[in-house]
Amino acid sequence: MPVGNISDYYVEDIGEPEREVDPLVTDPLLPYSPNTHELEPPIKETVGQLFPGHFALGSLMLCKSVKYGQDIPSDAICHWLDEGLTFYLQRRGCPKSDKTADGDPEAGRIRGWLQNGIWKLSENTFCKVNVWAEGMTTEYATIKWVNQHIPSLPTVEVIYHWIDVEWKRTIMISKRIPGKTYLTAWPALTTPQKLHVAAQ
């Protein structure tokens, strides 16, 4: 497939009108079995660290960082602060045409399975990748639905989200949720508290 304008490949969920999403409705089945057909490149190679604080994100984006207070490029899509650095997203000059990993896909990777993966970009920023097919409800759309309909339920703060159509996956940048994981908190819980958690 020839390389074209990035707008031919790029789908942005933030700021775009969306169909009303009800995540309780079944999404269409994927057009292949993830057990027998692995995506190219594999989900676990979607994000690659080019060097500390700089990542390739799928076929469309780069995540870069500069010291806090330094200027960021005018074409930066968004930016956020973490660990004394300003991180920002920038579109590649043109979409990556070959389906090979850029950089080190193991750096910062928390998990990488057939259908999803999570990378730690900085101490409080994460990149989550999910398999995608036309018509599927994205995780970002589900988070928006929860925020609208159940505002008392905490959700991650999404920095940015897009669909990498060519690589058939969604990519979401989000901030760390404050608090402890059950794994960390479990030893300090009382028996009634543990039973309450188990019953949920």
Side-chain angles (χ1 to χ4, degrees):
M1 179 177 192
V3 174
N5 189 307
I6 197 163
S7 62
D8 297 335
Y9 299 85
Y10 180 79
V11 178
E12 181 181 337
D13 273 1
I14 293 181
E16 294 287 328
E18 287 189 6
R19 63 186 169 92
E20 179 62 26
V21 173
D22 184 345
L24 302 179
V25 175
T26 304
D27 280 324
L29 294 174
L30 293 176
Y32 55 84
S33 168
N35 295 327
T36 59
H37 174 84
E38 189 161 334
L39 295 170
E40 289 299 328
I43 288 288
K44 67 183 180 181
E45 296 179 5
T46 304
V47 176
Q49 185 180 54
L50 303 171
F51 47 94
H54 292 66
F55 296 85
L57 307 174
S59 72
L60 301 172
M61 297 281 195
L62 298 170
C63 174
K64 300 179 180 180
S65 65
V66 294
K67 289 183 180 176
Y68 176 71
Q70 290 183 333
D71 291 336
I72 60 172
S74 59
D75 64 345
I77 294 169
C78 66
H79 69 278
W80 64 95
L81 304 176
D82 197 10
E83 301 179 298
L85 298 172
T86 302
F87 290 83
Y88 61 94
L89 292 182
Q90 200 171 31
R91 289 184 178 131
R92 291 179 185 260
C94 63
K96 183 173 169 55
S97 56
D98 68 317
K99 296 186 176 182
T100 58
D102 277 343
D104 179 2
E106 292 184 16
R109 188 171 67 208
I110 297 169
R111 83 169 179 228
W113 295 331
L114 283 176
Q115 295 186 26
N116 59 52
I118 299 175
W119 285 260
K120 185 176 177 181
L121 302 181
S122 65
E123 187 57 34
N124 298 295
T125 312
F126 299 87
C127 178
K128 186 166 185 188
V129 178
N130 287 302
V131 69
W132 175 83
E134 186 69 43
M136 284 183 69
T137 301
T138 65
E139 182 173 357
Y140 174 68
T142 302
I143 289 168
K144 283 196 341 186
W145 185 92
V146 169
N147 290 342
Q148 239 180 352
H149 295 87
I150 318 168
S152 61
L153 187 65
T155 59
V156 297
E157 181 183 340
V158 177
I159 296 170
Y160 206 73
H161 172 273
W162 66 98
I163 298 171
D164 195 324
V165 176
E166 188 66 20
W167 283 16
K168 298 180 178 64
R169 59 203 70 189
T170 63
I171 302 176
M172 183 174 77
I173 311 296
S174 62
K175 293 184 178 179
R176 180 188 295 276
I177 298 176
K180 292 182 179 179
T181 64
Y182 273 127
L183 185 62
T184 306
W186 192 259
L189 296 180
T190 64
T191 300
Q193 288 172 325
K194 290 177 179 178
L195 291 172
H196 178 71
V197 170
Q200 291 181 10

